[in-house]
Amino acid sequence: MRKLLFLLLFAILCAKIEAQEERGTTYIELSPIFNLAKGAPTGIQMTLGSGKYLSERFYLGGGLGVLTTTKFKDYSIPVYARGKLLFYENDIMNIHARMDLGYNIPTKGGLDKGLIRIAPAVGVDYGNIYASIGYMRLEGVKKEIKGGDAITLSIGTYISSEGMHKVASGLGRFFARTHLTVEAGYGIGLTTTHLSDISTGYGPEDLSKKEGSNITVRLAWTYRINNQWSAGIGAGLDMQEYYDNFTYLGDRQYGFDDEKDSEEHVTAFARVKYNVLKTRFTPFIMCDLGYDIADASDNNGFVCEPTVGVSLRTGEYQSLNLGLSYRTNTVGGSSGDSGSTTWNDQRDISTLNLRLGYTF
């Protein structure tokens, strides 16, 4: 029910935006909310609103948005009506007073767990930008629901229908130049173990190198700067298999075994790609630079993966891509204590991957 109400209100606002005259009566607003109760968290509210000037000085409209705390743990959807009166105008600025009356729809629980909101404010309009300071009272629908008081600071911008069309046109041109790439790959990795004996200051020493494997899946969203350069962001999943080949035998003696270990890494990265030629078939150079989030928290770290390959264009901007990449990342190993000896080890995993992808 709450989702349907939200979608309905959003649709009404969008329709209202289309119907505005050139004078900016649609607005986007950001408001930090400082709760007056001791120890209460600061709130952040983002709203989109629209309305109509019923006269030269009186505006009536409404808005909806998202309200959360600075810790981004709890969310609600504020829905309100707004009345605004311009009580001073000149060629440079306007001074206004306004009143918002509405309801905070909770994202958890029913509508009867929400809060009624009353929010008067005074502000200054300077061109299409405005700022205001106000007071907000939140009152529970039921007696057992605790309300509160807050001071609000708001900054926003008015957007005319002409401005909205320009924004929509600009976004359309932007998205027309963006492309999704899906990739899958398989690689052979080399595991290098480094040992440090903390109690004696020994190491780190390179003790062994053994092969492992890597299966990777990638999604990248890139913007086509021109026919040769593109840049964007992406995310992927790497399933690495490596050798957990270091064992402390005691009395500062170290041994090795052939037991394999495995780990999943979620990688977020930025990507830059360069097509060497402008022809249908072209070599390319690419680099992904990002951060690994492993299933063990102490194994997180930065990752760099340069790639060279070839692309075959199958449409105007679609292409089939085959590349060879080199990936390096560090995996935190084991540590322990034995008598007077304290040791730890770390593994660097370097992987050569064959990657097949398609750009839509």
Side-chain angles (χ1 to χ4, degrees):
M1 180 64 185
R2 294 195 311 276
K3 291 181 179 179
L4 289 174
L5 178 60
F6 177 79
L7 290 173
L8 178 60
L9 289 169
F10 189 76
I12 292 172
L13 277 174
C14 290
K16 190 67 178 174
I17 288 171
E18 291 297 320
Q20 296 305 314
E21 298 179 357
E22 213 169 296
R23 185 177 182 182
T25 55
T26 298
Y27 61 88
I28 299 172
E29 185 177 286
L30 177 66
S31 305
I33 299 172
F34 302 96
N35 289 295
L36 298 180
K38 186 177 180 180
T42 300
I44 301 173
Q45 178 177 281
M46 174 70 80
T47 55
L48 171 67
S50 186
K52 184 177 181 180
Y53 276 94
L54 302 181
S55 68
E56 286 295 320
R57 291 178 177 269
F58 184 67
Y59 167 94
L60 185 63
L64 64 88
V66 176
L67 171 63
T68 183
T69 65
T70 50
K71 295 182 179 180
F72 300 101
K73 288 186 176 181
D74 299 309
Y75 297 85
S76 63
I77 300 170
V79 181
Y80 60 90
R82 170 171 292 184
K84 185 175 74 171
L85 177 66
L86 304 179
F87 60 85
Y88 176 80
E89 291 184 284
N90 61 28
D91 293 336
I92 299 176
M93 66 178 184
N94 304 326
I95 299 177
H96 71 259
R98 70 169 188 259
M99 174 67 78
D100 292 350
L101 298 174
Y103 189 78
N104 280 12
I105 303 172
T107 54
K108 296 179 181 179
L111 292 176
D112 60 343
K113 295 184 179 180
L115 296 166
I116 297 171
R117 53 187 287 143
I118 305 169
V122 293
V124 177
D125 300 337
Y126 183 79
N128 286 332
I129 298 173
Y130 67 90
S132 64
I133 182 170
Y135 165 82
M136 180 185 292
R137 172 63 187 172
L138 296 175
E139 191 70 42
V141 177
K142 294 183 176 181
K143 290 182 179 180
E144 62 268 22
I145 301 173
K146 188 177 179 181
D149 302 280
I151 299 297
T152 63
L153 299 176
S154 300
I155 185 168
T157 180
Y158 299 110
I159 306 173
S160 66
S161 58
E162 180 183 356
M164 290 296 293
H165 285 305
K166 287 181 179 179
V167 170
S169 178
L171 288 174
R173 289 194 298 269
F174 173 82
F175 284 110
R177 298 178 70 90
T178 60
H179 304 278
L180 178 68
T181 299
V182 181
E183 298 170 348
Y186 179 81
I188 300 297
L190 190 67
T191 305
T192 304
T193 301
H194 307 281
L195 175 69
S196 297
D197 189 330
I198 299 173
S199 57
T200 63
Y202 168 79
E205 181 180 349
D206 181 1
L207 292 181
S208 69
K209 295 183 178 181
K210 289 192 175 183
E211 290 182 354
S213 61
N214 184 66
I215 297 174
T216 181
V217 178
R218 291 276 193 278
L219 287 175
W221 186 58
T222 56
Y223 177 78
R224 176 171 38 85
I225 301 170
N226 55 38
N227 287 335
Q228 291 181 277
W229 285 97
S230 61
I233 57 175
L237 175 66
D238 288 88
M239 292 157 278
Q240 285 185 339
E241 188 179 62
Y242 58 91
Y243 281 92
D244 190 12
N245 52 14
F246 165 71
T247 303
Y248 181 68
L249 302 177
D251 196 24
R252 299 181 187 176
Q253 298 295 314
Y254 308 99
F256 303 94
D257 56 49
D258 291 326
E259 180 184 353
K260 284 186 179 181
D261 201 353
S262 62
E263 191 167 61
E264 288 74 39
H265 293 249
V266 175
T267 306
F269 58 88
R271 167 173 293 184
V272 176
K273 182 182 177 184
Y274 175 70
N275 290 325
V276 179
L277 304 174
K278 297 181 181 180
T279 56
R280 182 183 178 191
F281 182 80
T282 175
F284 70 83
I285 303 169
M286 184 172 72
C287 186
D288 293 345
L289 183 64
Y291 192 77
D292 257 359
I293 303 173
D295 58 6
S297 60
D298 59 345
N299 292 347
N300 301 342
F302 290 96
V303 61
C304 180
E305 189 169 4
T307 304
V308 293
V310 291
S311 288
L312 176 64
R313 198 165 67 240
T314 59
E316 186 177 5
Y317 298 112
Q318 295 75 35
S319 63
L320 183 66
N321 314 305
L322 181 65
L324 190 65
S325 68
Y326 176 78
R327 172 191 174 92
T328 178
N329 67 298
T330 299
V331 174
S334 54
S335 61
D337 232 334
S338 178
S340 60
T341 299
T342 304
W343 52 268
N344 63 27
D345 72 290
Q346 178 179 287
R347 299 174 189 86
D348 292 333
I349 303 176
S350 303
T351 311
L352 198 62
N353 295 304
L354 186 65
R355 294 163 60 171
L356 179 66
Y358 189 81
T359 300
F360 294 89

